[in-house]
Structure formats: C-alpha cells, structure tokens
Amino acid sequence: MSRKKKPRMEYRYYEAPEKCPVLALLGEKWVQNYGYQIDYLHFHNMMEIGVCRRGHGTMRLEDDVVRYESGMISIIPANYPHNTIPDIGADNCWEYLFVDPEKIFAVVYADDILQQQKILENINRKAFLGREEDIPNMKNIICAIMSEMSRKQEFYRESTRGLGLALMMMIARMNSNVGNAPEGLRQKNGFDQVRPALEHIRDHYAMPMKIAEIASVCHMSESHFRRLFEENIGMTPVDYLNQVRVKKACDMIRKTGYSMEEIAVK
C-alpha cells in the first residue's frame, strides 16, 4: 500500500528590527484573501500573534480546522504549521505581531539558560485561537505593542521589550496547564518529531552541518529522519537548510550592504 502523501509545506522567514524583538505588520494593507485557493500550510521562524479586525473564515492549525471571525486573536508558536482561509467574498483584515521570545529571554535570563528553556517550552506548547474577551489582559498588551510599533515615539523599543516580556509570561502561564487553557489546540506528534531539527537549523545554520548530525538531534537514524522530514515539511533536509541560509543571506545583504561573496565568507 502506498504511503499517504503529505500536503505541501512552506517556510516563511521573518526578521525583527534591530534592537527590537517584535516585527509589526499593521494597517489596511493587510486587507486581503490570505489563504484563498491555497491548500498548503506554512510555518514561521518566529511566533505569530494575529488580531482579526474584520472578516470571517476558517483557520487550519496542523490537523485542526476551526472557525474565526472579527474580534478573535490567534497565537501561533514558531515552526507550527497553519493557514488562514477566508470565506468566499469576505473582506478580511488581520494585523500581526511576529515575536522572537528567545531575544526577550536572552536579556532577562542572560545567566539562566534552564529558566529560558522552561519558559520557551511552555510558550511553544500549543496554538491558541479565541475571542478577545476571553483574554482581556493579553489583548490589552497586544494592542499596546501594536500602538508602540505604529507610532514609534521615543523609547518605543524599550517599551515594546517590556510589554513583550509581560505578554510572553502570560502566554507561558496560560500554557502551563494545557488541560485548563481556554480553547487551546494541542500540538500533534507528526510535525513535532522533526521540530527539534528545525530549531537546530535555525540556531546553527551558519555552521557546517551534516544530515546525520541533524538526525541525531531528533534521536533518529539518518534514513528514517530523511523520510520523516520530507513527509512532514515537503522538502528534503538539505533543501530546507539551503532555503534558510539563502533567506538569512538576503536579509543580511539588505541590512548591511555586504556583497554575496562577503556574506558567504561570514
């Protein structure tokens, strides 16, 4: 019997501004048909926090399909497959924050790696989709961050870092007891098996890397890892590693003005 073919998966890379752990995508330019006629999932290198300002449709979170409407908030960990599919004819407007929790905790817990990992595990435990009124304190902080990133007044980076820390702690607290969290969606096992490889590549993409080394992070044989990775991600480990390196190089060229040759040396 042939093995069931996994759907296509797309990796999307984002980079937070310098000295700030948050990238904000705000305003009317985000009125669009996000997942219309797109049948594949995607995942990010950063946590995605979305606020549905207008519209309705369905959201795919790994294998779960849930309804969304105006006034709902989504919290999706890094490396979590998902997609937003508006209803036909619906005018959708989402605003997004892409957050780098590791950048936040690297400052707060600079000398306590174990505490960093403990909180990050809670933050990345599951995705959430719920109504604003279910999480009023979290909603207020999200809106405050969006306001700071939109207005960019003096000390907005410092303010955003403080608000971001408070937000991450709220998410970690909400996820600390998965069974009692409001309408949360547990992460599944299929994609989770190769998730350590994605994190290893994210942290060490600039170093020489063999597939056997990446497979060992997932505690798998190389052949089993190659098969499972391609089934879940939709590309080979080598293709994924090269994609991460190219996107990071393009970002460095844009920010620094270095040539491709200089980036390759670095």
Side-chain angles (χ1 to χ4, degrees), residues 138-200:
M138 205 177 295
K139 175 242 182 179
N140 290 337
I141 292 181
I142 291 170
C143 290
I145 294 174
M146 287 182 169
S147 176
E148 290 286 356
M149 295 300 293
S150 175
R151 298 168 67 186
K152 288 185 170 58
Q153 294 182 327
E154 189 176 11
F155 307 124
Y156 80 92
R157 291 186 180 88
E158 290 79 1
S159 176
T160 298
R161 281 197 293 269
L163 291 166
L165 174 61
L167 178 60
M168 293 301 103
M169 292 303 188
M170 285 187 174
I171 295 172
R173 184 181 296 167
M174 180 177 71
N175 291 352
S176 62
N177 189 339
V178 174
N180 295 330
E183 298 187 20
L185 293 163
R186 299 171 187 265
Q187 292 195 9
K188 309 291 188 202
N189 289 328
F191 191 87
D192 284 346
Q193 292 181 68
V194 297
R195 197 182 306 276
L198 304 181
E199 295 169 354
H200 183 77

Side-chain angles (χ1 to χ4, degrees), residues 44-87:
H44 309 288
N45 61 310
M46 300 174 71
M47 169 176 278
E48 175 191 294
I49 298 174
V51 179
C52 183
R53 301 299 190 188
R54 212 165 51 244
H56 46 82
T58 58
M59 182 174 288
R60 287 181 61 191
L61 297 165
E62 281 203 334
D63 296 328
D64 294 293
V65 179
V66 291
R67 293 290 300 174
Y68 74 82
E69 60 186 27
S70 178
M72 298 188 80
I73 292 176
S74 63
I75 302 172
I76 302 174
N79 298 325
Y80 194 105
H82 65 284
N83 193 14
T84 304
I85 308 169
D87 290 338

Side-chain angles (χ1 to χ4, degrees), residues 10 13 19 22 30 34 43 68 81 94 131 165 201 207 211 215 263:
E10 181 179 88
Y13 174 84
K19 299 181 180 179
V22 178
W30 299 102
Y34 295 92
F43 60 98
Y68 74 82
W94 284 77
R131 299 182 182 279
L165 174 61
I201 291 172
M207 304 295 292
I211 302 304
I263 295 294

Side-chain angles (χ1 to χ4, degrees), residues 113-131:
I113 300 298
L114 291 179
Q115 184 68 1
Q116 288 185 39
Q117 291 303 314
K118 178 182 177 181
I119 299 176
L120 285 170
E121 285 176 7
N122 272 343
I123 287 173
N124 293 323
R125 186 170 293 174
K126 64 185 182 66
F128 171 84
L129 177 67
R131 299 182 182 279

